[in-house]
Amino acid sequence: MQPSPAEIARTLAAGHLPAVAHIACRPGPTPVRHVTDAQGRVLLLVPSEGTLAGALRPQDGNDDTALVLDIRDVPPMASSPSLGRIWVSGWAAKLDGDDARAAALDYADTDACGDLLDIGESQALYRMEVAEVRWERNEKLVEIDPDDYAEATPDPLRAVEFDLIADLADHHMSEMSDYVRRQLGKEARPGDEPKVVRMDRYGFLVRMGGRSARLAFPRPVTDRHDLAHLLHPILCRRCCDSGAA
């Protein structure tokens, strides 16, 4: 099993990657700080005074401003393939009062930055209602239903993917190599040195020279601790064997 396009879009949009905004009737693109809330709506953290706040100011007669958020994946390793790029389109409006305070708590769930304490003064929060989501990978463009996007959840391992892969490479290379060879069976070749290059809740991608293979977990993992529990029999076979004995 692999992540769906909607899950990949939610993962890329979550707020762990840099983004630029293309704002209607304004020159750009403009770098912007953002996260997404539990419904996939984009929250923009913007200096109250400056070019970005001016660009997001609605035209006369409007309550919000149209924009497109452009987010590219940053692979965890130089040898890791990219998940591609997404465009999230919609309308953003400034939040005030209780709405701003509630949105600041949502923002802090992903990025508990100090600037959130200055909401209403030097900083402002805007909420972008999502109307369209597009995902591009390997020159293929996929239109994602906004309802599917809203119902999906970001991958729980994305923020720690680099740390997980680096730990496997530094401390568990032989165990992972043995496991991959057992899983591949006859497809494994002499001299193969499998390396994990990507990981998500459903499994991981290994690269062996010019070949790649995706191996699935027995079930989707929920977080880093759940992954450690799932990998324990793989990485500590001697412990498990001695315990069984």
Side-chain angles (χ1 to χ4, degrees), residues 154-216:
D155 191 278
L157 302 183
R158 180 61 183 91
V160 293
E161 185 182 12
F162 171 83
D163 295 334
L164 294 172
I165 294 175
D167 181 68
L168 290 176
D170 291 341
H171 305 292
H172 305 286
M173 177 67 77
S174 62
E175 294 91 344
M176 284 302 297
S177 294
D178 291 343
Y179 173 74
V180 170
R181 291 191 186 95
R182 291 197 305 272
Q183 294 299 307
L184 293 179
K186 295 180 180 180
E187 295 183 18
R189 300 173 183 173
D192 274 346
E193 292 295 335
K195 294 182 179 179
V196 177
V197 293
R198 294 235 58 151
M199 185 177 292
D200 56 55
R201 76 183 93 192
Y202 296 111
F204 52 89
L205 183 72
V206 295
R207 184 155 286 166
M208 302 158 289
R211 299 182 299 137
S212 297
R214 182 173 175 87
L215 300 180

Side-chain angles (χ1 to χ4, degrees), residues 23 38 52 56 86 88 97 102 109 121 131 133 147 155 161 164 175 191-192 212 214 220 224 237:
I23 303 173
L52 184 55
L56 289 171
I86 61 165
V88 182
D109 285 341
E121 298 180 4
V133 183
D147 291 335
D155 191 278
E161 185 182 12
L164 294 172
E175 294 91 344
D192 274 346
S212 297
R214 182 173 175 87
R224 184 173 187 164
R237 293 190 73 202

Side-chain angles (χ1 to χ4, degrees), residues 99-122:
D99 288 340
R101 285 188 285 273
L105 294 176
D106 289 337
Y107 198 105
D109 285 341
T110 300
D111 180 12
C113 61
D115 285 341
L116 292 172
L117 299 175
D118 296 323
I119 298 296
E121 298 180 4
S122 64

